[in-house]
Amino acid sequence: MNAYLASVIENVKTKHANEPEFVQTVEEVLTSLEPVIDQHPEYEKVDLLNRMVEPERMFTFRVCWMADDGTWHTNTGWRCQFNGAIGPYKGGLRFQPNVYPGIIKFLGFEQTFKNSLTGLPIGGGKGGSDFDPAGKSDSEIMRFCQSFMQALYRYIGPDVDVPAGDMGVGAREIGYLYGEYRRLKGAFENGVLTGKGFSYGGSLIRPEATGYGAVYYLENVLKHEGEDIAGKTIACAGFGNVTWGICKKAAQLGAKVVTLSGPDGYIYDPDGVTTKEKIDYLVEMRSSGRNKVKDYADKFGVEFHPGEKPWGVKVDICMPSAMQNDVHMEQAKQIAANGVKYYIEVANMPTTNDALKFLMEQPGVIVAPSKAVNAGGVATSALEMAQNSERLVWTEEEVDKQLHQIMNTIYQMSVDAAEKYGLGYNLVAGANIAGFQRVADAMMAQGIF
Ligand code: 2IT
């Protein structure tokens, strides 16, 4: 391996030994940049890679809140402003008990490349808290969000850093966060957050955007193989916002999502999550806070497999859309053995590095990486920022058209970047290279930073 590249990966492994998710993403991304680093010795001269793997800024804060029963609680909040070379830091907030700096950093690093791929002016950031939203009342969520924003508001802004949602943070949380920001700032700066409700500056299509974008990207891949999405079966994971958007768009195009998963297991619905009643029920399941996918099986009378993942089901397309490291070697082998041709990552880093490498090496399998496939979400967040700064509202058709175009461009840029460096049809390396290129150019232009 290129000596400079190897030394940067080694540095990260040593320095972040306690943050395996961050090491994993750095290793995955940097490894695929090898032909670029080989051909561009100027990057080593300015130590570009060590600068890229070091967040520009990351901070920790205390978030205290009071439960309904009067007890006091303390959580930790983080915001990582990873790379601002091409625009204000942009990326979601995740509220989940397993959140710690390694998760925030891996997400911030991925976000930097993803946001670059969108072609829009957004840098990479991420944040969150180890707060567990499960079973909390609405007023507890509100007080937590208010406290979180009290700690964060000085360090964000429409031209500085623009948080959004991620796991555990949806439209309700964004509403409470924005309400507190507005109260503290005394100004209607709604471009400070995205994923807002429509009534105060949210964009139409933003709730659907990640799922819709993933399906638009998938259509590009299928077209490349001379295939059509109609009639295809899809295995999805999770039942959150992203999976909901995939179900909705897939159904519109005549495909069907046949599996969903949760912490309790997975469901198999051979007819597909295709009717309005079923698709709407996902929203209900999420807002119930029960976090159980079995509810779907009980309601619609389909199979429920407790404690299992859906990757053993024979389908045309796998779209892991739940969380990081959902697919390990064991599941990857099942997927390959089932003859699945399309492995389309959706959640951030849903595949372990060894499983990803294995799937990419299978001759019959096409692998698409999440940082390209799920970029429609953040791209539409950037469209929300554009509408907010113009003080305008775009129609659903306009936003959807732009989203569709962005996804087609991301796909094509990835294909071209891999071709350019002699890697053939490699969507994973192509996305890493194309995402890297724009950030690298901007950092080179801006000098030492
Ligand atoms: O992972 C992601 O891209 C997100 N959670 C969305 C980020 C955003 O700013 O819309």
Side-chain angles (χ1 to χ4, degrees), residues 90-92 111 114 126 162 164-166 194 206 348 374 377-378 381:
K90 180 87 197 86
Q111 198 81 47
K114 179 198 316 195
K126 205 82 193 190
V162 182
D166 194 87
T194 63
R206 177 64 188 90
N348 294 312
N374 75 28
V378 75
S381 278

Side-chain angles (χ1 to χ4, degrees), residues 9 24 67 86 97 113 157 163 174 183 198 251 281 350 362 384 427 432 442:
I9 293 175
Q24 182 182 337
I86 63 170
F113 289 75
I174 293 293
R183 171 155 51 185
F198 180 67
Y281 189 64
Q362 302 307 302
E384 182 172 331
L427 298 170
N432 286 331

Side-chain angles (χ1 to χ4, degrees), residues 267 269 273 278 281 285 293-300:
I267 65 97
D269 181 351
V273 188
K278 287 177 176 176
Y281 189 64
M285 280 162 70
V293 78
K294 182 174 180 294
D295 291 359
Y296 182 99
D298 292 344
K299 179 153 174 91
F300 298 108

Side-chain angles (χ1 to χ4, degrees), residues 130-435:
D130 56 3
F131 172 72
D132 185 1
K136 301 292 187 295
S137 73
D138 194 63
S139 45
E140 287 171 332
I141 296 284
M142 181 172 75
R143 287 192 296 274
F144 179 81
C145 289
Q146 289 172 334
S147 281
F148 190 90
M149 188 52 85
Q150 279 168 26
L152 190 61
Y153 84 100
R154 291 168 215 277
Y155 310 106
I156 60 177
D159 296 317
V160 179
D161 181 358
V162 182
D166 194 87
M167 293 163 80
V169 179
R172 172 180 64 165
E173 289 73 17
I174 293 293
Y176 294 146
L177 289 163
Y178 181 62
E180 189 64 17
Y181 181 85
R182 187 168 73 81
R183 171 155 51 185
L184 291 163
K185 295 285 286 203
F188 194 83
E189 288 175 9
N190 63 350
V192 69
L193 290 169
T194 63
K196 298 181 291 293
F198 180 67
S199 60
Y200 62 101
S203 177
L204 293 169
I205 301 290
R206 177 64 188 90
E208 290 87 353
T210 311
Y212 278 21
V215 176
Y216 295 151
Y217 185 101
L218 166 66
E219 282 191 290
N220 278 283
V221 178
L222 291 168
K223 193 168 153 204
H224 181 265
E225 300 303 299
E227 292 198 54
D228 193 77
I229 191 167
K232 294 275 187 297
T233 52
I234 304 173
C236 273
F239 58 87
N241 166 262
V242 176
T243 302
W244 167 79
I246 294 174
C247 291
K248 211 167 150 177
K249 183 52 76 178
Q252 279 173 22
L253 298 172
K256 54 186 185 186
V257 171
V258 294
T259 68
L260 304 170
S261 70
D264 54 334
Y266 83 90
I267 65 97
Y268 175 60
D269 181 351
D271 295 333
V273 188
T274 48
T275 62
K276 185 169 183 320
E277 191 194 1
K278 287 177 176 176
I279 293 168
D280 287 350
Y281 189 64
L282 300 194
V283 180
E284 222 176 294
M285 280 162 70
R286 198 171 354 127
S287 58
S288 79
R290 283 171 47 79
N291 206 13
K292 288 198 170 17
V293 78
K294 182 174 180 294
D295 291 359
Y296 182 99
D298 292 344
K299 179 153 174 91
F300 298 108
V302 302
E303 285 173 26
F304 171 63
H305 298 263
E308 281 184 54
K309 293 181 180 199
W311 311 120
V313 176
K314 209 169 156 56
V315 287
D316 300 311
I317 302 159
C318 280
M319 297 182 86
S321 45
M323 66 186 118
Q324 68 275 4
N325 291 332
D326 191 19
V327 177
H328 292 238
M329 200 52 152
E330 183 195 341
Q331 287 85 33
K333 284 185 173 151
Q334 272 180 317
I335 289 168
N338 276 339
V340 173
K341 182 168 174 192
Y342 301 99
Y343 182 76
I344 311 293
E345 290 190 331
V346 187
N348 294 312
M349 200 168 74
T351 324
T352 60
N353 283 357
D354 57 342
L356 185 66
K357 187 164 177 284
F358 169 81
L359 286 166
M360 287 173 70
E361 282 165 3
Q362 302 307 302
V365 182
I366 296 177
V367 178
S370 53
K371 68 171 67 63
V373 177
N374 75 28
V378 75
T380 307
S381 278
L383 302 179
E384 182 172 331
M385 291 162 68
Q387 293 169 76
N388 295 157
S389 65
E390 287 186 327
R391 301 276 182 241
L392 285 176
V393 175
W394 301 349
T395 63
E396 195 172 313
E397 290 71 32
E398 177 61 26
V399 179
D400 194 32
K401 192 178 107 196
Q402 291 213 32
L403 167 64
H404 206 147
Q405 241 159 30
I406 290 166
M407 295 315 297
N408 292 349
T409 307
I410 290 174
Y411 171 80
Q412 200 52 52
M413 275 169 50
S414 306
V415 170
D416 294 347
E419 276 291 335
K420 182 176 165 194
Y421 285 95
L423 300 169
Y425 187 64
N426 185 336
L427 298 170
V428 176
N432 286 331
I433 294 170

